[in-house]
Amino acid sequence: MGKRIVIAGGGTGGHIFPAIAIANALKKLDPTVEILFIGARGKMEMEKVPQAGYQIEGLDIAGFNRSSLIKNISLPFKLVKSFFQVRSIFKRFRPDAAIGVGGYSSFPVLRLAQQKGIPTYLHESNSFAGKSNQLLGKNATRIFVATDGMEKFFPAEKILVTGNPVRANIVNSTVSREEAISFFGLDPAKTTILSIGGSLGAKSINEAVEAGLPMLEQNGLQLVWQTGKPFAERGKQAARGKTGFWVDEFISQMDYAYAAADIIISRAGAMAIAEICVVKKPAVLVPYPFAAEDHQTINAGRLVEKGAALMVKDAAAKTDLVNTVVALAKNEAQQQELKNKIASLAVTNADEVIAKNII
């Protein structure tokens, strides 16, 4: 019988898709491995993980709500309940190892695994480690990180710099620009902007793009726009009657979206940046300013310092974002320079390195 491994975490695509990439790499390395995901009920992992062909169990857990302290009253009860749920899952599944990728469900799963002496592995995708991962790192077997300089958060002897796992369909994509443009029903002769605010959308990016649609149209630019669910109707309404704009709440075929794109607008989450490096596209990054320790601004700043991306602050997005994109679209030399610099930062085998170390 093969090893049994639990993978815990989720909440956003930035946690879920790397977790699936690690699971796929483990199965490729050892087809006898049994994998069980553990996530938070009501979060997107409960849908995306089964779509990838894996079983998932949900916990009744939520994170700390910074905007409304009153909503945190039930948090201790949910945390205690989640520990009992994890205990029950462990009794049934009997894992040989546990992997945490970040998100609400990581903490109770890995904490219980450590209490039971089960080997635990962490993947920290950002340049600034979250509090849960810092606590778990003290007793982790191995800690996989995206960048160097993480000794300030974790024991140095446990760290392995691997980069961030990128979905195999993006790393190995053979989709041509022509196929991708046709997929979205757009014009191959026009420069294509891809706007992605993360799997849940980004209000400031969406509002800036909405306000800038006439400017994009006037400059002969077309758009593939992932709005996230909350902004989907408003985005579709804004684009109604205009040509050259594809709008939806979520893009399932991101390999096609990246292949279609000449310029990318994106948040600066670690996974978004990892994918943009792999697809080698010029990007304008709008960091989410309320991420823990403002790590997205740190992520984006590192690329800007290397001449690998442009950055527009969140507060300035409505006035500056579309202007920056239009100016970049008119400057082919700058686009080429950004492509060359960002391509040099690409990591394509992080999932394999992580899987080998775990097995």
Side-chain angles (χ1 to χ4, degrees):
M1 193 169 74
K3 286 186 172 70
R4 294 165 171 258
I5 297 175
V6 292
I7 301 179
T12 66
H15 293 311
I16 298 161
F17 297 125
I20 291 169
I22 292 168
N24 289 342
L26 286 166
K27 290 293 280 185
K28 188 176 178 183
L29 202 60
D30 182 357
T32 68
V33 165
E34 290 184 57
I35 294 171
L36 175 67
F37 280 77
I38 301 177
R41 282 193 182 137
K43 295 296 178 181
M44 67 182 293
E45 59 262 30
M46 302 307 294
E47 178 188 346
K48 298 299 173 190
V49 168
Q51 284 175 2
Y54 293 101
Q55 186 185 349
I56 185 167
E57 300 254 5
L59 305 180
D60 296 305
I61 192 168
F64 185 78
N65 192 311
R66 289 177 173 84
S67 60
S68 173
L69 294 179
I70 196 83
K71 291 181 180 174
N72 295 309
I73 289 173
S74 64
L75 198 57
F77 302 102
K78 286 182 176 176
L79 193 58
V80 170
K81 185 179 180 183
S82 70
F83 272 102
F84 281 110
Q85 290 174 322
V86 174
R87 199 176 291 277
S88 173
I89 292 167
F90 276 24
K91 275 183 184 174
R92 295 196 309 273
F93 188 70
R94 302 188 309 282
D96 297 301
I99 307 167
V101 294
Y104 307 147
S105 56
S106 276
F107 186 77
V109 173
L110 268 74
R111 179 58 98 196
L112 186 64
Q114 289 176 349
Q115 287 172 2
K116 289 181 169 292
I118 297 167
T120 57
Y121 300 86
L122 293 178
H123 179 260
E124 177 53 69
S125 59
N126 289 300
S127 51
F128 199 103
K131 288 284 188 287
S132 290
N133 271 0
Q134 288 184 50
L135 288 169
L136 293 165
K138 293 170 187 173
N139 296 309
T141 307
R142 204 83 163 117
I143 302 159
F144 307 111
V145 298
T147 61
D148 50 16
M150 299 299 281
E151 294 81 8
K152 56 183 175 284
F153 305 111
F154 303 117
E157 70 278 5
K158 295 184 177 185
I159 293 173
L160 181 66
V161 181
T162 60
N164 283 323
V166 174
R167 291 174 268 185
N169 67 325
I170 291 168
V171 172
N172 304 320
S173 176
T174 56
V175 178
S176 68
R177 183 180 185 275
E178 291 69 26
E179 284 176 271
I181 291 289
S182 173
F183 178 83
F184 291 105
L186 298 175
D187 182 351
K190 288 185 174 182
T191 298
T192 306
I193 313 301
L194 169 63
S195 179
I196 41 173
S199 51
L200 305 176
K203 188 169 183 282
S204 60
I205 292 177
N206 284 335
E207 288 179 348
V209 170
E210 178 188 42
L213 288 179
M215 189 177 183
L216 293 174
E217 200 170 30
Q218 286 158 20
N219 285 276
L221 303 176
Q222 57 192 6
L223 175 71
V224 175
W225 184 11
Q226 177 179 285
T227 61
K229 201 167 189 175
F231 206 88
E233 264 321 301
R234 185 168 153 184
K236 288 175 183 176
Q237 186 62 42
R240 198 157 286 143
K242 295 180 171 66
T243 55
F245 298 126
W246 183 97
V247 187
D248 210 342
E249 66 182 66
F250 188 77
I251 303 172
S252 298
Q253 294 90 346
M254 277 305 298
D255 48 340
Y256 279 81
Y258 284 133
D262 297 301
I263 294 168
I264 297 170
I265 299 169
S266 176
R267 281 298 196 202
M271 294 315 308
I273 286 176
E275 292 185 352
I276 294 167
C277 291
V278 166
V279 299
K280 308 174 180 63
K281 296 293 170 88
V284 180
L285 303 173
V286 185
Y288 178 57
F290 305 110
E293 311 297 337
D294 199 19
H295 68 254
Q296 287 206 9
T297 301
I298 296 167
N299 292 347
R302 286 185 171 177
L303 290 190
V304 172
E305 282 167 20
K306 293 172 181 174
L310 304 180
M311 176 167 61
V312 172
K313 290 289 184 74
D314 191 81
K318 202 156 187 179
T319 53
D320 297 355
L321 179 58
V322 172
N323 287 330
T324 302
V325 168
V326 169
L328 179 57
K330 291 177 178 177
N331 190 336
E332 288 189 18
Q334 188 182 22
Q335 287 179 51
Q336 192 57 52
E337 187 180 349
L338 290 171
K339 275 186 199 176
N340 294 341
K341 294 278 176 63
I342 207 161
S344 69
L345 304 174
V347 176
T348 58
N349 68 338
D351 53 346
E352 293 171 24
V353 173
I354 290 169
K356 280 176 183 171
N357 272 273
I358 292 167
I359 292 292

